[in-house]
Amino acid sequence: DIQLTQSPSSLSASAGDRVTITCRASQSISNYLNWYQQKPGKAPKLLISAASSLQSGVPSRFSGSRSGTDFTLTISSLQPEDFATYYCQQSYNSLFTFGGGTKVEIK
Amino acid sequence: QVQLQESGPGLVKPSQTLSLTCTVSGGSINSGGYYWSWIRQHPGKGLEWIGYVYYSGSTYYSPSLKSRVTISLDTSKNQFSLKLSSVTAADTAVYYCASFGKYSYGYGPFDYWGQGTLVSVSS
């Protein structure tokens, strides 16, 4: 299995802050890394696919990048509606795996 | 716009079989290129992929659940289903149906999700 290690597992931030979440893969997965946002009681919502491709309708303050097997989700200026849990997921092979999640809380 | 909706019992007794159905609207389950999947989330925990079925009927399951899982299609109703046998309290979770595509470059993300349904395993 491809393991995805997300860090931090939680963070506190204020509106307007720049937030960075990291997802490290246990092996090379090329760009096959996706990011989701999940709010309480809701299904995950796809934000970014293929490491850096922003989905239609997702605000441009969200961005994704890759450096080797390290992937980063950045929120450039945190908005109140961004407080949620974020998950990475690899689609390099069909034995899909998710990261453990990062909960973004209000400071 | 494809929409998915889970349905099934919210309570299952230990050792019994959990059965859920996902109804697909806005697209045909029979069309190639899309895969139909189940994912679960234990209370307060992360996401766990269970398996998928393709329109051809081919399936692929998580090794950790493979011995207990069956995912199948009902093309006449545009539905796919999940059966998980010999359940225990550890199978209590929110179960999501979701879909993803396969493209020339490889597998896509889970871009369509149902709202999720909580299944509790208890006597």
Side-chain angles (χ1 to χ4, degrees):
Chain A
D1 299 16
I2 297 172
Q3 308 299 320
L4 297 177
T5 303
Q6 266 184 258
S7 60
S9 57
S10 65
L11 64 90
S12 296
S14 301
D17 285 352
R18 181 182 182 88
V19 168
T20 298
I21 298 168
T22 298
C23 179
R24 174 168 291 173
S26 60
Q27 66 179 72
S28 175
I29 57 170
S30 186
N31 282 341
Y32 294 96
L33 193 285
N34 310 301
W35 290 98
Y36 302 84
Q37 176 193 66
Q38 186 179 34
K39 295 183 177 179
K42 300 293 187 182
K45 172 189 173 184
L46 177 64
L47 296 178
I48 289 171
S49 63
S52 60
S53 181
L54 196 67
Q55 296 304 291
S56 174
V58 175
S60 60
R61 62 181 179 272
F62 290 92
S63 64
S65 63
R66 170 201 171 195
S67 176
T69 58
D70 289 342
F71 298 83
T72 300
L73 172 69
T74 299
I75 310 172
S76 60
S77 178
L78 199 64
Q79 298 301 300
E81 60 267 30
D82 301 335
F83 292 95
T85 300
Y86 294 84
Y87 293 95
C88 57
Q89 176 249 331
Q90 64 82 17
S91 51
Y92 178 75
N93 61 36
S94 59
L95 187 50
F96 302 114
T97 48
F98 292 86
T102 297
K103 187 174 184 179
V104 177
E105 299 176 300
I106 301 171
K107 182 183 274 185
Chain B
Q1 176 81 352
V2 173
Q3 294 185 320
L4 291 79
Q5 175 71 57
E6 304 89 350
S7 59
L11 181 64
V12 181
K13 289 181 167 45
S15 79
Q16 294 190 343
T17 296
L18 178 160
S19 296
L20 295 174
T21 297
C22 183
T23 300
V24 179
S25 58
S28 173
I29 204 168
N30 235 349
S31 60
Y34 251 73
Y35 292 71
W36 310 96
S37 193
W38 288 95
I39 294 162
R40 70 180 182 179
Q41 186 170 36
H42 294 103
K45 302 296 184 183
L47 298 159
E48 178 184 20
W49 173 73
I50 297 171
Y52 69 69
V53 62
Y54 192 43
Y55 82 102
S56 62
S58 63
T59 55
Y60 190 54
Y61 303 133
S62 168
S64 65
L65 295 168
K66 183 178 180 179
S67 63
R68 299 193 291 130
V69 171
T70 303
I71 299 176
S72 58
L73 293 170
D74 185 339
T75 55
S76 66
K77 295 181 179 178
N78 219 35
Q79 296 174 334
F80 63 105
S81 66
L82 167 71
K83 291 189 185 301
L84 181 65
S85 65
S86 305
V87 298
T88 70
D91 295 307
T92 293
V94 174
Y95 286 77
Y96 294 100
C97 55
S99 63
F100 66 94
K102 189 174 183 185
Y103 308 100
S104 57
Y105 61 81
Y107 296 103
F110 295 104
D111 45 7
Y112 297 107
W113 294 70
Q115 65 187 25
T117 186
L118 174 63
V119 179
S120 299
V121 178
S122 175
S123 55

